[in-house]
Amino acid sequence: MKITGRSFVAGQWLEPAGDVFQSFNPRTGEAFNHFRECTEREVDDALLAGKRAWQHMRGLDGVAIGGLLDAVADEIEALGDALLDTCDSETGLGRVRLQGERGRTTGQIRAFAEIAGRGEWVQASIDTALPERQPLPRPDLRRMLQSIGPVVVFGASNFPFAFGVAGGDTASALAAGNPVVVKGHPAHPATCELLARAFQAAIERTGFPAGAFSMLQSGGHDVGELLVRHPAVEAVGFTGSQRGGRALMDLAAARQRPIPVFAEMGSVNPVFLGPRTLAATRDTIAAGLSGSVCLGTGQFCTSPGLAVFVEDRAFESAMRAAMDAAPRGYLLNPGIRDALRAGLRRLQAVAGVEWLNEAEFAADSMTPPNAVLRVPASVFLEEPGLSEEVFGPATLLVACEDEAQMLAVARHLDGNLTGSIHATGDPDLEAELVRIVEQKVGRVICNGYPTGVEVCPAQQHGGPYPSSSAAWSTSVGADAIVRFARFVAYQDAPQRLLPAALHDANPLGIIRRVNGEWTREPL
């Protein structure tokens, strides 16, 4: 498929007047394709059209919204090999990985289509009037979640499908009935264009207003700032670095009318290893941990960047050997390469940090070494920078003097997406670690590794700051939809003015909380 380099703005393919930027092939170093940076005009056109589209969309039922999402999934699949080939040329992720991610993405979109169609996500709650109650009567109160308006989505470089133009933020925001404006990612702009074509086809097929979806190409930060500051925007979804997420949070908070930013950011995803458990399964843990660290060249938000254990030189040797034996992969883009090199240098600059398997990392190389570093826990506890994420195939081994120091390290950590515990042979330590770690993370993993995020209703992908901006929210799973909605209550409203989900007859057949009891029965 021919790449035009244009942006999709409210149903039209436009060539903005901004600066030119290009795709980049991490395998060859080749720059190719030409795209133009969007300007304030495209931002304004997309968001004003989105606001108009919302007035139409908020009157639709969940079945219609689900129909749009199902059509999007169909159209993504219809792109066929062209989508995989294009994305591989921009990311170096490989056809096998991208096929799996495309399946995850279309499955996720269809799951949100089903959620929208069922309608139960609105959490309808009814407390009927008690006119005779003393000392004061109770009014009739009915509450449910409703869409909020245009949502801006910033995708991630490491998951061009599942966290990109058609990723979970876009799917969940649309499922809630909101128009979406996506800032295309400069690491894979051609992929963004193809996915936007799928949305165009789905919107035309289902008769949705053109402003329901726009994709604005951008190679820098100016468009992102314009999007977050625009008065028509009601919320932001972001997946990326702590620096990028915090910048958007600050922009949104500084608006005359602040808006929420749901940012999934940096995480070191600590792994805690009980001494008896480690002694019994040393080689197995080294193999599993190194495999998780190096998976996808370490370019996962759940990559385990920290391993905490009571000093065990044999384990350190096993980790060094396992990391050396793991294949070296490609980084996604030069920006990630430069950040990884800077992060490794930052760690090495701390007295007491030792790079156990240091290997050459040439300035222009897109294939970094699989790095394993070591630091005594006493140094780790005194150096806050050692608990910051280094994005790539690198992990820091924190060697403790005893179990008490392990617990001190656990208490010292900031918020993370995940925390893993291998301590079945250390039951007292295991129990105490769980009590501490569950306060620090969104997902506690027992005897496993954090890479691999199952997409299902019970998943939690988000944690205390700085791993995410809203610890109660998740960017994966069914409950991702509630980020882009707000509760509205109706007091003593006649049936004709109520949304269908709150009618006495329960025409949608959804489960509702009525006077404190869950039921599908009509009133």
Side-chain angles (χ1 to χ4, degrees), residues 5-9 13-23 34-40 42-43 90 152-155 157 165 181-193 214-228 248 333:
R6 297 181 176 183
S7 292
F8 183 65
V9 182
W13 287 99
L14 305 176
E15 186 170 357
D19 294 339
V20 172
F21 65 100
Q22 293 182 274
S23 299
H34 288 78
F35 303 86
R36 283 199 174 273
E37 182 91 10
C38 282
T39 67
E40 188 171 3
E42 288 77 39
V43 169
E90 292 185 312
V152 167
V153 170
F154 294 78
S157 61
V165 167
V181 176
V182 177
K183 178 189 176 292
H185 202 290
H188 46 258
T191 303
C192 293
E193 179 177 324
S214 293
M215 188 281 296
L216 278 56
Q217 297 282 17
S218 170
H221 302 296
D222 291 349
V223 169
E225 293 181 11
L226 290 169
L227 285 167
V228 175
L248 296 182
N333 56 65

Side-chain angles (χ1 to χ4, degrees), residues 261-323:
V261 173
F262 297 100
E264 187 259 281
M265 300 178 286
S267 181
V268 294
N269 306 296
V271 179
F272 295 91
L273 307 170
R276 296 169 191 80
T277 305
L278 185 58
T281 57
R282 188 177 291 121
D283 291 340
T284 301
I285 287 177
L289 179 58
S290 63
S292 186
V293 172
C294 298
L295 186 67
T297 321
Q299 296 169 114
F300 291 120
C301 51
T302 54
S303 183
L306 211 63
V308 186
F309 59 104
V310 174
E311 188 165 349
D312 184 327
R313 291 292 183 175
F315 171 66
E316 294 174 18
S317 296
M319 274 298 295
R320 180 173 61 246
M323 294 287 282

